[in-house]
Amino acid sequence: MKTALKKKSYLVPGSILLVLVLILAGLSGCGSSGSSAGSNGTAAAPTPELSPSVTEEPAPTSAVTDAEGESLDYYVSLLGLGKGELADVLGENPVAVDEGGAGFEKAGVRAWFDGTTGKANQIFTDRKDIDLDGVKLGDSIDRFEEKFGDPVSDRNGDMHFKYGDVFLSVIYDEKTKETVALYILQEDF
């Protein structure tokens, strides 16, 4: 049995870079192992994989399980990825969650998908160790307002902010004002 462990490297935030990394990973034959040199000592040409990389064993660690270097933009860049692409990026196979979503337990992320395109249109996390542009879950909702400006809506402990082309839905305790969860939404509701 051939065992291939992919070593995840730090992903720089940004949708374009993420897409390029995914394309390069697919073209370089993610399942290949051993030396890149052929039997005569010359560099071997990469061979594309015919089977989807989701069926491979995930790497033992992922860029997401280590909070160092994570940013809000990194999580925003997960929007628009399909379930298999998310599995590759997050380094684990998802489990089913409510309403057709996918949960990535080690990464502390859940995603829901557009019914037509199959691409992630909502990303959820309740991890308190992620730097969200200078604020973190667990901080007061007032700190989020200071950071992201006036909310576009604030209903029943769910404050929405415009962030570039997406929306941040910050869930907070109305009595204590402590933030507890974040949804990154492709479209506001």
Side-chain angles (χ1 to χ4, degrees), residues 15-39:
S15 298
I16 294 173
L17 184 57
L18 182 60
V19 170
L20 289 174
V21 169
L22 291 172
I23 290 170
L24 289 174
L27 293 175
S28 67
C30 295
S32 64
S33 65
S35 171
S36 62
S39 60

Side-chain angles (χ1 to χ4, degrees), residues 97-171:
V97 296
D98 61 332
E99 299 177 15
F104 299 88
E105 294 175 0
K106 291 177 189 170
V109 172
R110 292 182 185 176
W112 287 269
F113 304 89
D114 179 279
T116 305
T117 66
K119 303 294 183 181
N121 62 6
Q122 293 183 35
I123 302 293
F124 167 87
T125 189
D126 58 1
R127 290 182 50 193
K128 293 185 175 192
D129 60 341
I130 300 168
D131 178 6
L132 303 170
D133 279 358
V135 293
K136 293 185 178 193
L137 293 176
D139 290 348
S140 167
I141 191 65
D142 298 334
R143 298 239 14 247
F144 279 76
E145 285 183 281
E146 290 168 12
K147 180 64 188 171
F148 298 111
D150 293 333
V152 294
S153 67
D154 183 9
R155 286 174 256 150
N156 303 319
D158 181 8
M159 191 176 287
H160 290 208
F161 299 94
K162 181 82 169 122
Y163 183 76
D165 294 336
V166 300
F167 293 88
L168 307 177
S169 168
V170 183
I171 310 302

Side-chain angles (χ1 to χ4, degrees), residues 30-59:
C30 295
S32 64
S33 65
S35 171
S36 62
S39 60
N40 63 0
T42 60
T47 57
E49 291 291 317
L50 298 177
S51 62
S53 60
V54 177
T55 60
E56 296 176 10
E57 285 295 314

